[in-house]
Amino acid sequence: MPTRTPTRDQGQWAVSGRSPLNSDEVLKQEADGLTSRDRVISTYSKEGFGSISQEDLFARLKWWGVYTQRKQGIDGHRTASLTPNELSDDTFMMRVRIDGGQLTTEQTKVLGALSHEFGRDTADITDRQNIQYHWIRIEDVPEIWERLEAVGLRTTEACGDVPRGFLGSPVAGIAADEIIDPTPTIRGIVDQWIGSPEFSNLPRKFKTAVTGHPSIDIPHEINDISFVGVVHPELGPGYDVWVGGALATTPKLAKRLGVWVSQEEAPEVWHGVVSIFRDYGYRLRRTHARLKFLVEDWGPEKFRQVLEDEYLHRKLHDGPAAHPDGSPDDHIGVHAQKDGNVYIGFAPTVGRLSGPKLTTIAEAAEKAGSHRIRLTPYQKLLVLDVLPERADELVAELQQLGLQAHPSSFRRATMACSGIEFCKLAFVETKGLAARTVDELERRFAGETIEPPITLNINGCPNSCARFQVADIGLKGQIIKGEFGFQVHLGGRLETGRHLDESRLGRTVRGLKVTSEELPDYVERVVRSFLAHREEGQDFAHWAIEAPEEQLA
């Protein structure tokens, strides 16, 4: 298929120069987002919320992981009609960057203490393997930064038009069946370029994922760049490289570049791809500024050519495609490590934790012989290096906190974004609704096993922070005839874990929408329809794509 070349000026630095074409680009050129840290420390934390400039408040503070959160009491009917000032509270969401989801128990205790002291005990695991706080006051931000940085954590470029936090295999370095340990790749890139002005003014956000596990335990097809472990028949273990994936309101799946990249080459290739985005990415309209639009227009062949000719100045090796091996990609349960210990994957409901829970998790892990914890891209948590004889004790202790190592299918496979509780873009509640729905579905399907689990992703708005387009049952929040509810997407999937066929976005059925109150009834109805009508061996995504509409209603 021929590629489409834009004819109008798209604000590409390498094509038409750096003259800014909109107010967002003007703001970024006037002052780098990274410079806002100094103003937080010297002025805003001392003089309070009212002293923050509008440009820093609604833009540059994001470069340090700080967003204004939704003012309480504003329901979803008013989301689209109010200005950012009217929607914003005088406290903040803060995102702690945790590249690859890798934590020590010491770091986890600090995260728990900060949540308890400054965040009203909020601490959610995001699907980017970060920890997200709420209710943060600007006066407390410098102390939070100081205490995070004392244990090797930071909020640098956790948000903004920058390289966001890196997804990484939660079992990096410990899995017996690992193809390649992605930890050196992630650390090599993060240590060299995160926080550098070289990439602190990108057209939009840039998301990275790296895994060496054969389950492909990261959602590689919805990231701007992904490195996926693969074995070259002659060159050995390395990475298969994908570019240009992202969801949001215009979802597009990533494309393979068709190259094999060694562990040593990966940082250089990452640098080249981000540089292409910086130099050739579209800056005219923010809704059209993600890398996926450039990749769509150029195609993977031209993208590879520009990468090799203009940025690497050499050819890359052709490489085989990586495909998942069929093993579970969420790592829930008790599993053997290659060193004789075990790791245990736990499912907190839709990633919701608290300060005291984080502290208790860390203390319980240490009693079981562990000093390492990992967060996953599915809002779950792993404890590594557990002594086998202490595994049952740890499972029982965390069960008392609501973290289950042997959860129901629904608790295991449900995700939700922040929703109207804190997000200024949301129309509906998500976290609490998801938790109640999981409880109700466990009651209704008690004693029944659904394998593989049916993914249920609940999103408060069209922007897909909870990946509703690639879930078995994906829900996009909206107002339905004056009530809060969701448009239903069915049969989405990524080629990862036990989903071995081609990735695809979910289908929508004309008129198929459910209110929040109807959600448990609808999910039960469509799951029972699946169980009654599926062919032998057919999973939910296959069935939902092919089923007649009356079976999906």
Side-chain angles (χ1 to χ4, degrees), residues 289-336:
R290 292 294 299 276
L291 182 64
K292 61 186 174 183
F293 296 107
L294 181 67
V295 172
E296 179 184 44
D297 289 342
W298 278 9
E301 296 82 9
K302 178 178 178 179
F303 195 98
R304 176 178 175 177
Q305 179 185 354
V306 172
L307 174 65
E308 293 174 332
D309 294 350
E310 297 186 26
Y311 292 87
L312 301 179
H313 307 293
R314 61 183 174 81
K315 298 297 182 183
L316 294 169
H317 294 285
D318 293 336
H323 296 290
D325 66 352
S327 60
D329 60 332
D330 62 4
H331 305 297
I332 295 298
V334 182
H335 306 272

Side-chain angles (χ1 to χ4, degrees), residues 76-223:
H77 294 100
R78 304 176 67 196
T79 294
S81 62
L82 297 180
T83 67
N85 268 320
E86 291 170 321
L87 283 166
S88 296
D89 208 340
D90 59 1
T91 56
F92 296 89
M93 179 206 83
M94 175 180 276
R95 187 173 295 153
V96 181
R97 182 183 186 122
I98 305 171
D99 294 294
Q102 299 190 10
L103 289 169
T104 65
T105 50
E106 179 190 13
Q107 290 171 330
T108 305
K109 291 176 185 177
V110 170
L111 290 170
L114 293 175
S115 165
H116 185 64
E117 293 177 43
F118 303 111
R120 303 188 190 180
D121 277 332
T122 57
D124 290 338
I125 304 173
T126 74
D127 59 12
R128 298 295 307 174
Q129 295 175 280
N130 298 314
I131 287 290
Q132 194 159 285
Y133 295 137
H134 295 280
W135 303 109
I136 300 298
R137 300 186 320 133
I138 196 67
E139 292 87 347
D140 297 324
V141 169
E143 182 176 348
I144 294 172
W145 282 338
E146 183 178 342
R147 288 166 64 174
L148 287 172
E149 291 162 8
V151 292
L153 294 174
R154 54 184 173 170
T155 67
T156 313
E157 296 184 339
C159 311
D161 295 351
V162 292
R164 302 279 185 95
F166 285 31
L167 293 185
S169 171
V171 294
I174 64 159
D177 54 351
E178 185 174 55
I179 297 168
I180 188 171
D181 180 359
T183 305
T185 297
I186 294 172
R187 287 180 179 168
I189 297 170
V190 169
D191 290 348
Q192 188 166 359
W193 289 300
I194 298 308
S196 166
E198 185 173 359
F199 297 127
S200 61
N201 182 357
L202 300 178
R204 282 290 303 278
K205 57 190 172 185
F206 185 89
K207 296 183 177 181
T208 302
V210 192
T211 186
H213 195 266
S215 69
I216 310 187
D217 50 2
I218 55 167
H220 65 293
E221 290 157 305
I222 57 172
N223 281 268

Side-chain angles (χ1 to χ4, degrees), residues 19-36:
S19 179
L21 300 181
N22 59 53
S23 59
D24 295 289
E25 291 299 309
V26 169
L27 183 147
K28 289 190 290 182
Q29 286 200 15
E30 287 178 343
D32 191 312
L34 293 173
T35 65
S36 64

Side-chain angles (χ1 to χ4, degrees), residues 489-511:
H489 295 243
L490 297 167
R493 72 169 350 140
L494 299 175
E495 189 188 16
T496 185
R498 286 166 286 187
H499 293 163
L500 302 181
D501 62 336
E502 184 177 352
S503 300
R504 57 175 172 264
L505 303 174
R507 68 183 281 196
T508 56
V509 176
R510 184 181 299 274

